Amino acid sequence: MESYTIESNKKKSRLPARLDFAQSATGLILGLFIWMHLLFDGSIIFGKKVFSFVTGTLELSFLSDTGHGYPIIVFFAVTVISILFITHALLGMRKFPNSYKQHRIMADQVIITDHMETKLWYVQAITGFIMFFAGSVHLYTMFANPGSVDPYLSADRVVSGNMWLLYLVLLVCVVLHANIGLYRLCLKWGWFSGKDAKKSRLKLQMLRNRIIIFYLAIGVLGILAFTIIGMGHRDKAGERYLGQVTSVEMLVEMPQGLAQTPYIADSNE
Ligand code: HEM
């Protein structure tokens, strides 16, 4: 009787709702970041010059006289993304089954209910858990080497640094986690829910599946492109790419134009 009385007088805390909101907000930002990140990464599919142009532009190389980008930009981006990544993971841990018994109940529910949304939640939990480790390795590597993003150094990391396996695991986890997460956010906050809720949910599910297939495809093709470049560059691993491309004109320039442009003259194409 006494404990009931105390309980009913206590005002309901808003903290869980606020933490849920923070988890959605960090998830939304990280999800949109990964959409852009894998697109920029995927530019390697179109060759070293395009990747060099994209990474140079992201590092604001057009502001520098030398045409070189500013690694400090990467350093700041990694710092901000790492803080969001750790905050999101911490908030996610609140919902993790933290004992074998809880895990058993969760796993049984997935099997017994055969309910898609419950299964998707389970995929979120598993992929989130794997990214605790795989994502942290990648983020620390970029944090410690902010100036090492170029067609050769990235490809060397994938092949000579054996990061291809980590990237494959991370790719599958982040593409599933981010896109199932964005889909669940739309349902949770009622975004894009037209007049017919059932119809819009089906549309969202179709869009989610297509986005997952698209990003898995460009991710795998990207790792393949890095692997081909890295295999050809193994004996020169660690040598920077010198064919820095700082303008669209240089991107479309004919190979024979190489000699005329002093910057390209020392290219190691
Ligand atoms: C600002 C933070 C980040 C930076 C600067 C960054 C940078 C890069 C770079 C340069 C590559 C190309 C390969 C290499 O050079 O080693 C890459 C690949 C990749 N990154 Fe990140 N990354 C960041 C955050 C993340 C996060 C948070 C995730 C997921 C949790 C992630 C997932 C991946 C994946 C899956 C690949 C392989 C891409 C592919 O399939 O082509 N990255 N990242």
Side-chain angles (χ1 to χ4, degrees):
M1 190 60 202
E2 210 176 278
S3 67
Y4 173 73
T5 319
I6 293 169
E7 276 308 312
S8 63
N9 290 341
K10 224 163 134 192
K11 210 160 149 273
K12 261 201 164 296
S13 162
R14 286 169 178 254
L15 188 63
R18 290 207 178 112
L19 295 179
D20 268 0
F21 180 80
Q23 189 177 359
S24 297
T26 51
L28 178 65
I29 300 168
L30 287 167
L32 298 177
F33 164 80
I34 279 296
W35 274 9
M36 299 317 292
H37 173 6
L38 292 177
L39 280 179
F40 293 144
D41 250 11
S43 65
I44 194 70
I45 300 167
F46 303 103
K48 293 179 280 222
K49 278 192 171 181
V50 180
F51 184 77
S52 158
F53 176 65
V54 170
T55 50
T57 309
L58 290 172
E59 291 175 25
L60 309 182
S61 60
F62 50 87
L63 295 179
S64 85
D65 305 334
T66 61
H68 280 293
Y70 299 96
I72 191 84
I73 308 275
V74 178
F75 181 79
F76 274 122
V78 177
T79 309
V80 172
I81 293 296
S82 300
I83 293 168
L84 286 171
F85 185 82
I86 294 167
T87 311
H88 185 73
L90 267 178
L91 292 164
M93 277 166 69
R94 291 169 310 138
K95 310 237 168 117
F96 250 65
N98 56 15
S99 69
Y100 176 72
K101 193 168 164 227
Q102 280 190 359
H103 183 265
R104 229 8 301 153
I105 296 169
M106 185 78 232
D108 290 346
Q109 256 196 358
V110 169
I111 297 161
I112 295 164
T113 60
D114 194 21
H115 180 238
M116 182 47 87
E117 303 301 335
T118 315
K119 283 184 188 157
L120 290 179
W121 187 92
Y122 202 53
V123 172
Q124 286 299 80
I126 303 277
T127 52
F129 184 75
I130 296 171
M131 282 196 289
F132 274 158
F133 311 100
S136 308
V137 174
H138 174 48
L139 281 169
Y140 185 74
T141 309
M142 299 321 298
F143 185 80
N145 309 284
S148 69
V149 183
D150 87 18
Y152 281 149
L153 294 181
S154 292
D156 293 340
R157 209 179 353 257
V158 172
V159 175
S160 304
N162 287 317
M163 285 287 267
W164 60 271
L165 185 58
L166 182 116
Y167 281 145
L168 272 177
V169 172
L170 190 56
L171 176 74
V172 174
C173 288
V174 77
V175 169
L176 288 175
H177 192 95
N179 292 299
I180 294 170
L182 290 172
Y183 159 76
R184 288 168 62 85
L185 279 185
C186 293
L187 293 189
K188 187 172 180 168
W189 301 97
W191 298 331
F192 312 112
S193 62
K195 289 199 187 74
D196 181 340
K198 203 157 182 237
K199 220 168 159 192
S200 1
R201 184 187 276 235
L202 281 175
K203 273 196 191 145
L204 275 176
Q205 286 168 355
M206 206 158 57
L207 190 62
R208 175 202 65 205
N209 296 346
R210 288 187 180 163
I211 293 176
I212 287 176
I213 293 166
F214 170 73
Y215 274 106
L216 285 178
I218 60 163
V220 169
L221 286 174
I223 294 173
L224 264 179
F226 279 126
T227 307
I228 293 166
I229 297 167
M231 297 290 275
H233 196 247
R234 260 186 305 188
D235 53 343
K236 295 188 192 137
E239 185 194 274
R240 293 196 75 87
Y241 178 72
L242 296 175
Q244 187 90 15
V245 177
T246 53
S247 67
V248 178
E249 292 74 39
M250 288 169 83
L251 255 184
V252 291
E253 195 170 73
M254 293 304 126
Q256 66 269 1
L258 271 182
Q260 286 131 14
T261 324
Y263 191 79
I264 297 279
D266 57 0
S267 164
N268 53 353
E269 278 289 330

